[in-house]
Amino acid sequence: MKAIKRTEPLLLRGSMVALVTPFKGGKIDKRALKKLIDFHVANGTDAIVPCGTTGESATLSHEEHTKVVEMTLEYVDGRIPVVAGTGSNSTEEAIQLTKHAERAGADAALLITPYYNKPTQEGLYQHFRAVAREVRIPIILYNVPARTSVNLLPETICRLTELKNIKGIKEATGDLKQIGDLITLCGDRMTVLSGDDFTTLPILAIGGKGVISVTANVAPRDVSDMVHAYLRGDEKDAVALHTALWPLHKAMFLETNPIPVKTALGMMGMIDPELRLPL
């Protein structure tokens, strides 16, 4: 597909949706994907993140993965940024997926820490360094130890800021002390985004700039309003929205993500609530 050229810099802030991948009959549902994208553009979502955990990237073939990224960019058509999930536990595979995202016109790439391998901190540094050296687009790191069995530590993250295109991190440890240490150590060299809807407001309160959200799939306007209320200094409104969203956050994680969020979107008539095994 033709790459979309964007003149303004990507703003790593606000409400970014960890988009589900809609399926129908075992295949990607293109019509539902377009419907979801229009829904987010109309309801204040600041960026769309396809092919992450919520997008069932682990069960997408390479062909499907690249196709979802391309279709998302085509349907978004430059209206808001697209941050393509391109992570892998294979460094070479992560490089190839990230190169594809760059060629397709993605505004940035989201790279999860290598899962299953359980690399050392030096191994994590070398993995991300190898990817960053092969592309020019901004890279957002993704730290979610509950899924990967490895924790990217603040000292390693700060070391990675030496690489000019590593710009941010999606932090899903749920550990505010570790996130506070990260913000203290790195300052404005690393933009911190919440990767856990429950901790979005606390992370904003200690210096974070936004969220890559599961809940935003079903309530994009409310999540966006909560984040932007805090960022513009309306703490009372932000707390009220955070409190109102709390039961929905809990519902989104009653079972393994994205089982609940796809069920909810099916109830809303947005998609067929089809999942891939083993979910």
Side-chain angles (χ1 to χ4, degrees):
M1 64 172 288
K2 183 180 179 181
I4 298 168
K5 297 298 182 181
R6 181 178 292 276
T7 56
E8 73 276 15
L10 173 70
L11 294 176
L12 297 179
R13 60 190 289 120
S15 175
M16 308 179 187
V17 63
L19 194 70
V20 302
T21 302
F23 299 118
K24 192 169 187 177
K27 297 181 179 180
I28 298 163
D29 188 341
K30 299 178 183 179
R31 181 176 297 180
L33 181 62
K34 186 176 187 299
K35 186 177 181 180
L36 289 172
I37 289 167
D38 288 339
F39 178 57
H40 285 288
V41 172
N43 282 281
T45 296
D46 293 291
I48 290 178
V49 186
C51 296
T53 304
T54 308
E56 295 174 85
S57 58
T59 53
L60 295 176
S61 69
H62 286 185
E63 182 181 0
E64 288 174 325
H65 189 121
T66 57
K67 197 67 177 177
V68 170
V69 170
E70 290 171 3
M71 287 190 295
T72 301
L73 285 159
E74 180 182 353
Y75 295 153
V76 169
D77 194 25
R79 291 176 287 174
I80 58 176
V82 173
V83 179
T86 62
S88 173
N89 67 331
S90 161
T91 302
E92 184 57 35
E93 184 174 304
I95 288 170
Q96 295 307 315
L97 289 171
T98 309
K99 281 184 171 181
H100 169 266
E102 181 173 50
R103 289 194 305 270
D107 296 273
L110 176 71
L111 277 90
I112 196 166
T113 53
Y115 41 87
Y116 191 76
N117 311 57
K118 296 183 73 172
T120 63
Q121 293 299 305
E122 181 63 25
L124 290 170
Y125 172 81
Q126 294 295 342
H127 169 82
F128 289 119
R129 179 175 180 266
V131 179
R133 292 178 69 178
E134 294 290 333
V135 296
R136 290 180 294 176
I137 58 172
I139 289 173
I140 302 172
L141 311 173
Y142 179 17
N143 192 29
V144 56
R147 283 189 179 268
T148 64
S149 296
V150 63
N151 187 7
L152 186 62
L153 297 177
E155 294 79 8
T156 306
I157 297 166
C158 287
R159 188 180 171 199
L160 284 163
T161 64
E162 298 166 2
L163 304 168
K164 62 181 181 180
N165 55 336
I166 293 184
K167 299 293 188 182
I169 183 165
K170 177 184 177 182
E171 248 296 344
T173 59
D175 184 343
L176 289 176
K177 180 183 181 300
Q178 177 170 313
I179 297 166
D181 287 342
L182 167 62
I183 291 170
T184 300
L185 283 170
C186 297
D188 59 7
R189 290 179 291 141
M190 177 63 65
T191 298
V192 176
L193 304 168
S194 171
D196 176 10
D197 283 291
F198 294 103
T199 62
T200 299
L201 187 62
I203 287 175
L204 291 172
I206 61 173
K209 300 300 182 184
V211 62
I212 298 178
S213 169
V214 174
T215 302
N217 278 281
V218 298
R221 176 60 63 184
D222 290 333
V223 175
S224 178
D225 285 352
M226 188 270 288
V227 173
H228 286 281
Y230 192 90
L231 291 175
R232 68 173 178 265
D234 293 338
E235 294 183 19
K236 184 177 180 180
D237 287 348
V239 170
L241 283 162
H242 169 78
T243 302
L245 283 165
W246 193 259
L248 186 56
H249 294 332
K250 291 173 69 176
M252 291 299 97
F253 294 92
L254 286 170
E255 291 185 355
T256 304
N257 177 48
I259 297 171
V261 69
K262 276 196 153 181
T263 302
L265 286 167
M267 294 168 68
M268 293 166 65
M270 297 294 293
I271 65 170
D272 286 348
E274 184 177 316
L275 295 146
R276 282 195 170 168
L277 288 173
L279 295 183

